[in-house]
Amino acid sequence: MQPERPIGVFDSGVGGLSILRALRAELPAEDFIYFSDAGHAPYGEKDERFVRERALAIARDLVERHAIKALVVACNTATAAAVQLLREAHPGLPVVGVEPAIKPAAALTRTHRVAVFATRGTLASAKYAALEASLAGQAEFVRVPCPGLAAAIEADDAQRVRSLCERYTGEAGRFGDAPGEIDTAVLGCTHYPFAAAVFRELLGPAVRLVETGEPVARQSRRLLEERGLLRPRGPGAVHLETTGSLTALQAAASRWLGL
Ligand code: DGL
């Protein structure tokens, strides 16, 4: 594996751009191939087997066509369904996954009540159940599946994003910093940071929003460093690919990453 090779990053759509934003800030010299599987989205409402097959096919394709030196699964749903299989299928390849940041949230909450906004697929997965079980007794996690929200963000439909956020934050319970209220909200789908302003407005200033971009970027740097795979000189570039509309992906990358 050579340090000059690019890093592959994939998601079901534009959500992984929230992870790519953090990766570019942490690793400005690196080249990235960003793959959006918008032609097969949303992952969160498909069965696990389908998501697994897509993840394996995308990883194989990125390895074969681009000889990527590392893979970032910038999707909570695909990580829950397939990260283990991806590591088995590509033993020499560093694979970094993304999971809802409930561990940092458990450390932050004072009321010991945390809302976890994520896809149905993520919240129903065995991987998420194990993660929550590992924190038993530290906080109560209110799971809030948000069907349709990733698709509304993908379609850049501000009105629908707002009405779904209103519905799902309403379903979660009372937010605030008084005893019994939820004081910490985990954005457990990589699309949701692009609706962070709406969540913030609806939840109020006392509630902390937790997302995963920065820790994932730091973990990616650590893995590359350990293996001597950091690209010595930049600046790095981003190459976009998709099974959906390239124009829509380019517009999202320009809006959110200034690309
Ligand atoms: N962005 C993805 C995640 O982090 C999934 C969105 C979807 O396709 O449902 O879970």
Side-chain angles (χ1 to χ4, degrees):
M1 208 86 71
Q2 289 168 11
E4 290 301 325
R5 301 311 309 162
I7 299 169
V9 181
F10 83 90
D11 178 41
S12 63
V14 299
L17 292 174
S18 67
I19 302 290
L20 181 61
R21 186 164 60 183
L23 285 166
R24 293 213 340 131
E26 179 75 29
L27 298 164
E30 300 295 336
D31 283 337
F32 294 96
I33 312 284
Y34 184 84
F35 188 96
S36 149
D37 198 17
H40 301 95
Y43 282 180
E45 285 147 59
K46 303 262 163 51
D47 71 35
E48 212 168 46
R49 206 170 111 193
F50 177 86
V51 177
R52 241 176 236 151
E53 280 166 12
R54 287 307 304 153
L56 285 167
I58 292 166
R60 196 179 325 116
D61 180 59
L62 291 173
V63 166
E64 284 173 4
R65 279 191 308 117
H66 296 289
I68 54 169
K69 65 178 176 183
L71 178 67
V72 178
V73 185
C75 173
N76 293 265
T77 314
T79 299
V83 77
Q84 202 47 46
L85 286 173
L86 289 169
R87 291 192 176 119
E88 284 162 23
H90 303 277
L93 185 73
V95 177
V96 181
V98 176
E99 59 187 11
I102 66 172
K103 209 170 172 176
L108 283 170
T109 177
R110 297 282 164 265
T111 61
H112 301 287
R113 298 200 73 217
V114 172
V116 187
F117 297 98
T119 67
R120 273 201 191 112
T122 296
L123 293 175
S125 68
K127 196 164 190 311
Y128 178 79
L131 177 66
E132 222 190 80
S134 74
L135 300 169
Q138 296 187 31
E140 181 199 341
F141 298 102
V142 180
R143 292 175 219 149
V144 193
C146 306
L149 183 53
I153 292 168
E154 194 75 30
D156 198 23
D157 183 342
Q159 224 176 336
R160 184 150 173 78
V161 168
R162 193 179 178 83
S163 76
L164 289 173
C165 285
E166 275 168 5
R167 183 195 309 167
Y168 297 136
T169 52
E171 277 173 18
R174 276 184 65 82
F175 285 87
D177 52 8
E181 291 181 333
I182 300 169
D183 69 350
T184 307
V186 173
L187 302 184
C189 166
T190 55
H191 281 71
Y192 303 169
F194 295 126
V198 182
F199 275 104
R200 213 164 271 136
E201 192 193 318
L202 292 168
L203 299 181
V207 175
R208 273 181 255 241
L209 290 188
V210 189
E211 50 173 286
T212 21
E214 285 169 18
V216 167
R218 284 195 298 272
Q219 168 70 356
S220 304
R221 165 183 280 282
R222 264 194 301 275
L223 281 183
L224 292 173
E225 239 162 18
E226 264 169 38
R227 292 167 163 80
L229 284 175
L230 283 174
R231 189 166 185 242
R233 269 172 304 279
V238 174
H239 173 74
L240 302 172
E241 293 188 356
T242 181
T243 50
S245 153
L246 186 58
T247 318
L249 178 60
Q250 282 166 338
S254 134
R255 185 164 62 246
W256 289 316
L257 274 78
L259 288 176

